[in-house]
Amino acid sequence: MAYDLSFAKEVYKKSEMGHWIKMCMQCGVCAGSCPLRAHWQHSPRQLFQMVRAGKKDEVLKSSDMWMCTSCYNCIARCPRNLPITHIIHGLARYAETQGKVDPKQPTRRFAVEVFWENIVATGRVGEAMLTMRLYFQDGIGAGIQRGLEMKDSALGMLKTRRLNPIPFRGKIKGYDGFKKMLAKAAELEVKLENKA
Amino acid sequence: MKEYTFFPGCSSEHNASAANMENSIQSMCRILGIKLNEIDDWNCCSASIGYAGGGQLPRMAMSARNFALAQKQRGNADLVATCAACWLAMRETNERLEHEADVKGAINTALGEAGLSYDGHIRTRHFVEVLIEDIGWETLKSKVTKPLKGLKVAGYVGCQTNRPFGVCGDSFENPLYLDRMIEATGATAVPFPMKVACCGGALMFSETEKSCVLTKQILQSAVDNGAEVIITPCPVCQLNLEVYQGMINKNLGTNFNIPVLYYAQLFVLAWGGSWQDAALHQQVVAAEPLRRFA
Ligand code: SF4
Ligand code: SF4
Ligand code: SF4
Ligand code: SF4
C-alpha cells in the first residue's frame, strides 16, 4: 500500500469540512455511534487516522462512508465538536469526484444515479420514477423481482393515494434558471477550498 | 390568523408518500387559524443524501433558491417545513450562508443565473417548533374535545428533528416533545427506549436488508412496551416503519401489524376532526386502534 502524505493536505483543502480532521483526538466515541457499524470496516475515527497517515486509496475506495445513514449521532457526541456526518459525506463525495468508488456500490448508485439525477431532471423528486429507476437499475428481470417483493406495499400506497400512478412529472416553471444555477454552482465548487 | 411561508417538500405533494402528513397538518392549521403560504415554484431541498451527487454548492444552491423565492414572494416571514429532512437541509444551508461569507458570495453568483438573490435573514423552522413556541401547550390541550383516553402510543422521534439541532432545547438522548404531544391528546406515552434510534433513513432504498434490521428493532421495542400505535414527525421514518412491515415479517420472522401515524393525525382526531380530516384513510397499515375514537 502506497502512502501519500499529500493526501491529508488534499482532504483538508478540498473535501467538505475536511480540515476538521486535524482536530480529532482519536477518542473513539464516534465509533460506537453508527447504526450500521457492523458493516463498517473502519469507524470514522479510523478513517480520520488513515487520512492523516496518507492512506489515500484505502480511504477513497472504502465502502465505509457509504454506510452513513445521516443519523447525526456522532455529531451529537463528539467531544471535539467535529461535524463528523459532513466529513464522512465529504469523503464519499471526494472519492466520487476522484473516480475511486466501485460503480456498483449500492448507496452510491442510489444517491448519484437515481436520487440526484431524478431531482436535477425536473427540480423535484418524482417518487414513482425514483422507485422505478431504483428497481430497474439491474435490468428488467431484477426490477420485476424487486417490484414483486414490494408489490403489496406499492398497492397499499396507490390505494391510499400516496403514490402517483403517473411516473412522469412536469418540470418546475423556473427550470431553465434552476439548471443554469446548478451548473454555475458546480463550476464554483471546484474553486471552493476550505480555509482553516 | 398566524401566517408563515411554507416549504412542503416533494413527499408532501399531491399523491406523494407523505400526503397523509400534509393533509392532517392542513387540518390542524384550519383548527388553529394558521395559514401556510406555499412558496411558488419551489424545488427539492436535496435532503442529506444529496451530498454524493451534488457536492456542497449545488446542494446548498437548491435550498438557497427556495429562500430567494420565499424572500421575493413573502419577505422575511419565517419559513416552515413539515418534513424533518427538508428542515435540516434548509437549516444547515442557512447557517452556512450566515457564517461563511465566501459560501454566501458563491451561492449568490449561482442564484444570479436564475435571476435571483438572497441576502439572508429568513428563519427556517420546523412545524413542531411553531406548535410548541408560537401556539403553546395550553392551546394544544385546550382544543381537545375527544380525549384519546387509554390509547397507548410510542413516540418515535428518530434522528433529524432531534440531532444536531434539536427541538425547543430537548436533550438528544431523551427528547420529550413527542411524548408531551401524546399526553396533550389525552393518550398515554409508553416508555420507548428506541425513540431516538435510527431507522436507516434513505439507506432503506440502497441497503434494504441492513436497514430492515434497524427498523425491526424499533418496531419490536414499541410492541414490547405495549404500544398500539407509533407516531413520528418524520416522513422517512413513517414510510420505513409502516411500509416495510410486510417485508420484515416475511424475512425476519416477525408478525408486526402496527399503525405508524404522524403526531398531527392524533391531534386532529382528539380535536374532533373526522377520520378523513386526520387522513387516517391514507394509512397502509390500517389505524384500527383509533376506530374507537372516531
Ligand atoms: S468522537 Fe470526535 S474526537 Fe473522538 S474519535 Fe471521533 S471524531 Fe475524533
Ligand atoms: S451520521 Fe453517519 S457517521 Fe455519524 S454516526 Fe450516523 S452513520 Fe455514523
Ligand atoms: S425531503 Fe426529500 S424529497 Fe422532499 S424536498 Fe427534501 S429532498 Fe426533496
Ligand atoms: S429516523 Fe430514520 S428517517 Fe427519521 S431522521 Fe432518522 S434516519 Fe431519518
Side-chain angles (χ1 to χ4, degrees):
Chain A
M1 182 61 62
Y3 290 77
D4 178 353
L5 293 177
S6 62
F7 179 51
K9 285 208 184 93
E10 200 178 309
V11 168
Y12 297 162
K13 274 214 165 310
K14 297 196 158 85
S15 183
E16 181 165 356
M17 300 286 160
H19 60 284
W20 277 93
I21 293 176
K22 286 186 253 183
M23 303 296 292
C24 171
M25 63 177 183
Q26 292 289 306
C27 68
V29 168
C30 55
S33 307
C34 304
L36 293 178
R37 59 190 164 275
H39 307 282
W40 292 59
Q41 210 184 336
H42 312 95
S43 66
R45 177 192 73 77
Q46 286 170 314
L47 288 172
F48 299 163
Q49 185 53 35
M50 286 155 63
V51 167
R52 299 203 286 215
K55 299 188 182 178
K56 182 169 181 169
D57 274 9
E58 250 182 285
V59 172
L60 296 184
K61 288 185 175 167
S62 163
S63 70
D64 296 325
M65 294 87 81
W66 303 98
M67 293 293 160
C68 172
T69 61
S70 307
C71 72
Y72 290 78
N73 269 328
C74 51
I75 292 197
R77 292 176 191 164
C78 173
R80 284 277 172 96
N81 293 319
L82 270 75
I84 303 173
T85 313
H86 300 292
I87 304 172
I88 295 295
H89 292 178
L91 287 173
R93 169 70 187 163
Y94 192 59
E96 166 69 14
T97 60
Q98 301 298 301
K100 297 281 187 187
V101 193
D102 174 1
K104 288 213 175 290
Q105 210 301 321
T107 300
R108 182 216 158 263
R109 282 175 91 192
F110 172 68
V112 178
E113 291 173 20
V114 179
F115 183 78
W116 184 257
E117 283 183 20
N118 189 284
I119 51 185
V120 170
T122 62
R124 293 186 192 170
V125 167
E127 292 175 336
M129 185 54 97
L130 187 94
T131 312
M132 268 175 47
R133 293 194 49 178
L134 174 72
Y135 284 7
F136 289 95
Q137 57 185 356
D138 290 311
I140 303 270
I144 292 172
Q145 175 75 35
R146 270 200 91 174
L148 283 175
E149 278 168 31
M150 287 304 286
K151 168 176 64 54
D152 295 342
S153 317
L155 283 175
M157 300 289 284
L158 273 173
K159 273 204 302 232
T160 55
R161 294 184 189 274
R162 289 167 58 191
L163 185 64
N164 196 330
I166 305 154
F168 301 97
R169 61 157 309 126
K171 296 181 165 108
I172 55 171
K173 288 181 277 177
Y175 183 71
D176 287 346
F178 170 80
K179 265 255 93 149
K180 281 191 224 151
M181 171 192 81
L182 288 183
K184 177 57 84 179
E187 179 195 320
L188 296 172
E189 172 96 356
V190 182
K191 296 182 203 148
L192 181 80
E193 294 199 333
N194 297 315
K195 287 127 293 186
Chain B
M1 177 77 72
K2 284 192 161 67
E3 294 200 30
Y4 301 89
T5 310
F6 178 42
F7 179 71
C10 313
S11 60
S12 285
E13 283 199 278
H14 185 61
N15 271 357
S17 58
N20 49 346
M21 176 175 81
E22 168 65 7
N23 292 337
S24 55
I25 282 185
Q26 291 297 347
S27 297
M28 271 186 104
C29 288
R30 276 194 296 278
I31 298 169
L32 293 169
I34 293 175
K35 187 154 179 270
L36 298 177
N37 300 309
E38 180 171 338
I39 300 172
D40 181 47
D41 207 38
W42 56 267
N43 57 261
C44 172
C45 70
S46 96
S48 308
I49 197 79
Y51 70 82
Q56 307 181 64
L57 289 177
R59 191 177 84 225
M60 284 189 273
M62 301 262 247
S63 283
R65 180 176 175 276
N66 293 326
F67 298 159
L69 290 175
Q71 199 157 53
K72 204 164 125 185
Q73 295 163 12
R74 302 282 171 183
N76 287 347
D78 287 358
L79 175 56
V80 172
T82 44
C83 164
C86 301
W87 174 65
L88 184 55
M90 295 200 304
R91 219 177 130 167
E92 284 176 344
T93 302
N94 222 356
E95 300 224 333
R96 291 197 64 184
L97 290 173
E98 201 176 305
H99 294 120
E100 297 175 50
D102 54 341
V103 168
K104 190 171 171 186
I107 287 293
N108 270 294
T109 306
L111 283 173
E113 296 285 311
L116 295 167
S117 69
Y118 175 61
D119 71 359
H121 310 297
I122 293 182
R123 274 209 302 168
T124 41
R125 303 178 71 199
H126 193 281
F127 189 67
V128 299
E129 295 179 298
V130 168
L131 291 177
I132 296 167
E133 293 169 347
D134 300 5
I135 305 296
W137 291 108
E138 281 321 305
T139 306
L140 295 177
K141 280 184 216 157
S142 73
K143 299 274 179 198
V144 174
T145 56
K146 228 193 275 168
L148 308 181
K149 223 171 151 16
L151 183 74
K152 294 198 188 110
V153 185
Y156 178 52
V157 178
C159 311
Q160 297 200 344
T161 62
N162 184 38
R163 298 179 296 265
F165 298 115
V167 162
C168 306
D170 260 356
S171 86
F172 295 137
E173 306 297 333
N174 186 20
L176 295 174
Y177 79 87
L178 211 49
D179 290 344
R180 289 184 71 183
M181 285 185 168
I182 295 166
E183 304 280 346
T185 66
T188 305
V190 303
F192 189 30
M194 298 292 278
K195 69 157 79 154
V196 297
C198 175
C199 68
L203 266 66
M204 187 57 100
F205 291 108
S206 54
E207 297 281 7
T208 310
E209 281 167 29
K210 297 182 178 80
S211 300
C212 275
V213 173
L214 301 179
T215 300
K216 179 203 156 195
Q217 290 163 353
I218 296 163
L219 292 167
Q220 194 66 57
S221 166
V223 170
D224 288 349
N225 283 285
E228 297 169 86
V229 301
I230 298 172
I231 65 160
T232 169
C234 170
V236 190
C237 308
Q238 198 281 334
L239 197 65
N240 286 355
L241 259 55
E242 183 189 41
V243 171
Y244 287 87
Q245 284 182 35
M247 188 187 265
I248 291 170
N249 287 341
K250 188 158 156 264
N251 295 344
L252 300 173
T254 49
N255 200 11
F256 297 123
N257 186 36
I258 184 166
V260 185
L261 313 167
Y262 293 102
Y263 61 88
Q265 296 179 287
L266 284 195
F267 274 121
V268 172
L269 201 63
W271 292 349
S274 67
W275 196 257
Q276 206 86 5
D277 293 337
L280 288 164
H281 59 299
Q282 292 190 291
Q283 297 304 121
V284 173
V285 176
E288 287 313 315
L290 291 177
R291 283 280 174 202
R292 62 186 195 262
F293 305 103

